[in-house]
Amino acid sequence: MRSFLPDVPFAARSCFIASGWLVVLLAAGCASDQPQDARAPASDTRQAALTVLDSLRQDVFRGAFGNLKSYTFTRRLRTVQLGVDGGAPSARRSRVIRYGYRGGERTVQVERADSSGAFDLGWLGNFADRGDLRADVENMGRQIIDEEPPYLARRSRESFRYRLAGDTLLGGRSARIVAIEPRPSAAGEQAVKRARLYVDRATDQLVGVRLKRQSRSLLLDETSRLRVFLQPTYIDGPLHKTKSTPNGRLHMNRAQQRVNTAWVPASTRFTTRLDVPVLDERAFRTSSSFTNYAARRSSP
C-alpha cells in the first residue's frame, strides 16, 4: 500500500483499515485559500436545500482528478504534525512540485523543498514506508465521496437536517452551499457529522466539498476533516480578423469570450486525528494547491 502522507517518509497502513477513502485523500493534499461562505437568509428552508440536491450532478467532481492527465501543473504540498490538544505543530514539510510530461510519460520535479522539526511517528512507526511523489493523483475523485452516501440517499433523508447556507464563488463562478448534519437522534449512527456541498449554479454540478467524519472502534478512534475545491480551466476564444488599418495590415485577435473546457482540482485539505487506547494520539494535516495549469502537448 502507498503512503497516505506522500511528502513525509512514512505511511500508516492501519488507517486503510479504519477508512480507506480518507487515506487516498491525503495523497492529494489542500490549500489555505478557501472560499468564504455567505450567511444564508433566514427564509431558507429544508425543502429549498433538497430541491438543489434533487438536481445535483456529480460527474464533474468525480472526474476532476482524472482530468489532470490532460495538463501540466504546479502543486504546492504541505504536511504538518499537529500538536496534541491544540498545541503548536511539532513538524512541517513543504514542497513545490511541477508535474509535466516527457515522451508521453508523466514527470515529477521538486522545484523547492523546506522542512522544520521532526515527525514523531510513535506507534505509527510500525507501519512506516516511504512515500512516492509519483503516486497517481488522478483517481482520487471517486474516493472522496461514496457512490451513495447516506446524507444524499433519499431513503435516509429523515436522519439529516438540510439547509441552504448562502452562496460563494469558486473559480469565478457562483455556487450554492448546502449544509447537512445528522439529526440528534441519528448522530450516533452516522459517521459524517457535518457536510457542506458547493453546487455550481449554472450547471448543478458538485464543485466543492467539506466534510467532518468520526469513527470509533475497539482498536482506533478517528476524527477527520476534509476540504476539496475545484476550478474551471479555460481556453481563449477563436482567432478572428480585424478591419484593415491605415497602413493596410490585418490584425488577428482572440475573441473576448473564454471557453470552459474542464474542471480540475484547485485545493485540497485533509486533517486526521488518530487515537489508539493506551497509546499516544497522533494528528496530521496535509494540504495542496494546484496552479499554473497548461494543456498537455501532444508528443512529436
Side-chain angles (χ1 to χ4, degrees):
M1 293 183 181
R2 290 177 177 173
S3 170
F4 75 93
L5 289 172
D7 66 328
V8 294
F10 66 87
R13 299 179 194 270
S14 58
C15 296
F16 279 87
I17 299 173
S19 52
W21 66 271
L22 297 178
V23 177
V24 179
L25 276 178
L26 282 166
C30 264
S32 59
D33 53 337
Q34 308 300 336
Q36 298 298 314
D37 299 351
R39 289 187 177 274
S43 59
D44 284 335
T45 63
R46 171 186 175 88
Q47 186 54 51
L50 292 177
T51 298
V52 174
L53 295 183
D54 286 340
S55 302
L56 180 68
R57 301 169 61 191
Q58 300 184 44
D59 50 300
V60 158
F61 190 87
R62 296 185 184 278
F65 285 92
N67 289 337
L68 290 175
K69 64 180 178 294
S70 299
Y71 296 90
T72 62
F73 57 92
T74 298
R75 177 185 179 195
R76 288 169 172 80
L77 176 63
R78 187 171 187 263
T79 294
V80 300
Q81 180 165 359
L82 303 173
V84 178
D85 297 327
S90 58
R92 299 178 177 87
R93 188 172 187 182
S94 61
R95 294 184 181 185
V96 177
I97 309 159
R98 184 64 184 172
Y99 289 76
Y101 279 98
R102 182 178 301 152
E105 297 293 328
R106 171 68 85 185
T107 60
V108 180
Q109 179 181 357
V110 178
E111 297 182 340
R112 187 166 66 251
D114 189 24
S115 63
S116 64
F119 285 89
D120 179 12
L121 307 185
W123 53 273
L124 291 176
N126 296 326
F127 306 95
D129 61 10
R130 183 167 294 276
D132 183 5
L133 279 177
R134 297 179 184 273
D136 186 7
V137 295
E138 297 174 2
N139 296 317
M140 295 176 184
R142 298 185 180 278
Q143 306 294 332
I144 297 168
I145 297 182
D146 297 333
E147 286 298 324
E148 192 178 20
Y151 55 86
L152 289 182
R154 290 177 179 271
R155 63 179 178 274
S156 55
R157 282 182 174 178
E158 291 307 314
S159 298
F160 293 89
R161 292 173 172 171
Y162 302 86
R163 65 181 177 89
L164 291 182
D167 289 5
T168 190
L169 290 177
L170 285 177
R173 296 165 64 102
S174 178
R176 290 174 289 195
I177 307 165
V178 180
I180 307 169
E181 62 182 13
R183 294 185 183 276
S185 58
E189 305 169 2
Q190 303 297 334
V192 172
K193 304 303 181 183
R194 185 165 59 246
R196 286 202 169 197
L197 308 182
Y198 296 74
V199 184
D200 183 59
R201 274 188 172 272
T203 62
D204 293 325
Q205 291 282 0
L206 180 67
V207 293
V209 171
R210 296 171 65 180
L211 293 177
K212 177 183 177 181
R213 183 183 179 102
Q214 290 180 333
S215 61
R216 299 183 182 277
S217 68
L218 293 177
L219 299 178
L220 177 70
D221 290 345
E222 177 180 5
T223 300
S224 58
R225 292 176 172 83
L226 71 90
R227 297 176 181 177
V228 179
F229 295 104
L230 307 184
Q231 60 185 323
T233 57
Y234 295 92
I235 59 173
D236 292 328
L239 284 169
H240 66 92
K241 296 179 180 180
T242 62
K243 294 181 180 180
S244 298
T245 60
N247 60 13
R249 294 181 180 178
L250 290 176
H251 288 282
M252 301 292 290
N253 293 322
R254 295 279 183 185
Q256 293 299 312
Q257 183 179 7
R258 304 179 74 201
V259 181
N260 175 214
T261 56
W263 286 84
V264 292
S267 64
T268 61
R269 179 173 179 173
F270 185 81
T271 303
T272 185
R273 192 172 298 273
L274 306 169
D275 189 13
V276 174
V278 185
L279 301 178
D280 293 337
E281 177 185 279
R282 291 293 183 270
F284 303 92
R285 181 172 64 226
T286 296
S287 60
S288 290
S289 63
F290 298 80
T291 59
N292 300 327
Y293 279 99
R296 175 185 176 182
R297 295 182 179 179
S298 301
S299 300

